[in-house]
Amino acid sequence: MASLTREELRDLYRYLLLTRGLEERLERLFKQGQIVGGLYRSLGQEATAVASAFVLDDGDWLSPSIRDMGALLVRGLHPREVLLQYMAREGSLCGGKDNTTHFTIPELGLLGPISPLGTQLCVLNGVALAFRLRGEPRVCMTYQGDGASRTGASHEGLNFAAVQRLPVIVILEHNRWAFATRSEREAAVEDWVDVAAAYGVPAASVDGNDVLAVYDAAREAVERARRGEGMTLIVAETYRMIGHAQHDPQHYVPKEELLEWRGRDPLARFQSYLLESGFESRAALAVVKEGVRRLLDTAVDDALAALMPEPEEALAGTFAGDAAAVPWTRRTHVYPDLAHSAMPS
Ligand SMILES: Cc1ncc(C[n+]2csc(CCOP(=O)(O)OP(=O)(O)O)c2C)c(N)n1
Ligand SMILES: [Mg+2]
C-alpha cells in the first residue's frame, strides 16, 4: 500500500483535477473553433497517467500517448503551455507547426508521441539504452493503448527492452477500445497481463482507475528498473469515457457500458477515498478545487490573449534552416522549355 504523505495525496488530487479541468476547457475551446487540429481527451483514464508519472524523479524520461495529459502536467508542463500549443499561438511549443502533444522537451525528460503507433517505444528504448551504457540510474516510462500494443513496432520494442534488460516501464492502457474496435477483436488473450510472458518480463495488472493501485504498481516497477533489473509491463484496466477524438460521437459504444464505467470514475473515487479515510476535509478539498479553477481561468485568458505566429515563423526552427527560406515549388528548371515543347520521350 502506498506510503504517501498527506501533501502527496493532495498533489495527486490536484493533478487529477487539473487534468480533467484543463481538458474540459480544451473541449469548450474546441467547440468555439479556437483549437487548431484535433482534440483527444483522457476522460476516465486520468488516474493511470497521473499516478504513474508521479513516481518518476528528475532526470527520468517519459513518453506519453494521446491519453496522458495528466502525465505531462505531473512532469511540469504548465496548462498555459498546453493551451497555447493546442491553439497554435505565438510562443507555443511547436510555434504553430504541429499540434496536440507532439513536442519533445529534453529539460523535462519528455519524448513526444510518435504518430505511427508502437514506434515510440523503440525510440525510448534508445534513451534507456544510453542511460544503461552510461551507468546512470535513470528510468524511462511510456504508455501504449491496447491497439498500439498490437503493432509490429510495439512487439519489437517490447522484445528489445526485455532482452536488453532496459530500465523501461511500459504502461499498457487497456481502455477497451482502439477507435471503434473492441479490444477483444484486437487480441485473443483474455487477460492482457499474460502478454508479458511472451517477452519474459514481470508484469502487473492494476485497476487503472484507482490512483493508489497505479502508484503502487508503478513504484515497484520504477524501483526494479532503477536497480538494474530491467523492464516491467503494467496493464492498467481502464475505460475511454469519450470518443476517440472530438469528431467521434462514440455511437458504437453501448450506453450500459458507459454507465457501468461512469460508476468507477477515478476522480470521484479518489475524492471519496480522501474524505472517508479522513485524510482531507470537504473544506480542504474545496480550497484545492478553487486553486485549480483560478489557475485554469488565468491560463485560458492568457492563451486567448496570445497572437497567432507571424507567417515567417513557419520557416524558423526547421532542419532545412536557411534553405527553407527559398519558397518551394515545382522543379521547372529541369525542363526549361516545357511550356513550348513536348515532354522528352
Ligand atoms: C500504426 C498505426 N495504425 C493506425 C493509426 C491510426 N490510429 C491512431 S490512434 C488509433 C487508435 C489507437 O487505439 P489504442 O492504441 O487502443 O489507444 P487509445 O486511443 O484507446 O488510447 C488509431 C487506429 C496510427 N496512428 N498508427
Ligand atoms: Mg485503446
Side-chain angles (χ1 to χ4, degrees):
M1 171 59 195
S3 53
L4 290 157
T5 64
R6 176 184 291 227
E7 267 312 303
E8 288 170 324
L9 290 170
R10 193 174 289 180
D11 278 349
L12 282 167
Y13 180 66
R14 187 179 287 115
Y15 281 122
L16 286 178
L17 280 178
L18 202 56
T19 309
R20 175 100 24 119
L22 176 58
E23 289 191 351
E24 280 168 1
R25 281 153 200 266
L26 281 168
E27 185 168 331
R28 217 174 300 153
L29 289 163
F30 182 91
K31 288 172 181 165
Q32 292 166 357
Q34 296 284 357
I35 302 294
V36 178
L39 175 64
Y40 306 80
R41 287 192 57 183
S42 63
L43 186 65
Q45 299 183 212
E46 297 94 335
T48 297
V50 165
S52 52
F54 201 76
V55 177
L56 296 180
D57 283 343
D58 287 350
D60 294 335
W61 273 59
L62 178 142
S63 191
S65 91
I66 46 175
R67 312 277 174 223
D68 302 308
M69 176 72 82
L72 293 173
L73 296 172
V74 170
R75 262 339 253 169
L77 208 66
H78 194 284
R80 189 191 323 105
E81 293 176 282
V82 176
L83 287 156
L84 287 171
Q85 165 75 5
Y86 274 81
M87 293 161 73
R89 299 293 170 118
E90 195 173 65
S92 60
L93 288 159
C94 294
K97 291 199 235 354
D98 203 344
N99 55 8
T100 62
T101 53
H102 284 204
F103 46 77
T104 288
I105 311 179
E107 312 86 78
L108 294 183
L110 285 177
L111 174 75
I114 302 171
S115 292
L117 296 173
T119 54
Q120 79 195 73
L121 171 59
C122 302
V123 178
L124 194 67
N125 277 346
V127 179
L129 185 60
F131 291 163
R132 216 202 50 204
L133 291 174
R134 292 180 192 158
E136 296 170 351
R138 300 159 78 181
V139 307
C140 294
M141 181 178 279
T142 190
Y143 305 81
Q144 296 188 330
D146 32 58
S149 77
R150 304 296 83 195
T151 58
S154 170
H155 288 300
E156 190 174 331
L158 284 170
N159 189 62
F160 187 80
V163 76
Q164 293 286 336
R165 296 175 75 79
L166 296 180
V168 168
I169 297 96
V170 175
I171 304 198
L172 197 165
E173 296 173 310
H174 185 205
N175 67 358
R176 266 71 196 173
W177 293 93
F179 206 149
T181 304
R182 264 197 188 285
S183 62
E184 285 86 349
R185 302 197 63 185
E186 297 161 16
V189 281
E190 223 163 89
D191 189 345
W192 283 62
V193 86
D194 291 345
V195 168
Y199 304 102
V201 295
S205 175
V206 283
D207 179 345
N209 288 13
D210 178 341
V211 183
L212 300 181
V214 174
Y215 177 86
D216 279 342
R219 196 179 60 169
E220 202 182 316
V222 165
E223 284 171 1
R224 181 181 301 123
R226 230 185 273 291
R227 285 196 303 268
E229 293 170 25
M231 73 158 290
T232 303
L233 180 74
I234 296 175
V235 179
E237 300 293 347
T238 183
Y239 198 84
R240 197 192 73 203
M241 292 299 295
I242 196 162
H244 176 66
Q246 291 296 305
H247 60 262
D248 170 19
Q250 223 183 2
H251 286 323
Y252 47 85
V253 174
K255 292 261 174 311
E256 318 77 67
E257 196 171 297
L258 276 172
L259 267 180
E260 185 195 328
W261 281 91
R262 194 161 297 149
R264 302 185 210 170
D265 179 75
L267 180 53
R269 276 172 69 184
F270 193 49
Q271 182 166 304
S272 302
Y273 167 80
L274 291 174
L275 292 171
E276 284 159 22
S277 60
F279 276 117
E280 294 286 15
S281 63
R282 279 194 188 280
L285 293 189
V287 172
V288 179
K289 273 186 200 162
E290 180 55 17
V292 167
R293 194 187 60 76
R294 268 192 273 117
L295 190 150
L296 289 173
D297 279 349
T298 310
V300 171
D301 289 347
D302 290 351
L304 282 170
L307 301 172
M308 292 305 266
E310 293 296 327
E312 300 75 49
E313 261 297 299
L315 303 176
T318 59
F319 282 114
D322 286 347
V326 180
W328 64 270
T329 178
R330 292 179 63 198
R331 277 177 151 183
T332 47
H333 62 279
V334 178
Y335 306 117
D337 52 352
L338 190 63
H340 311 291
S341 65
M343 289 287 284
S345 54

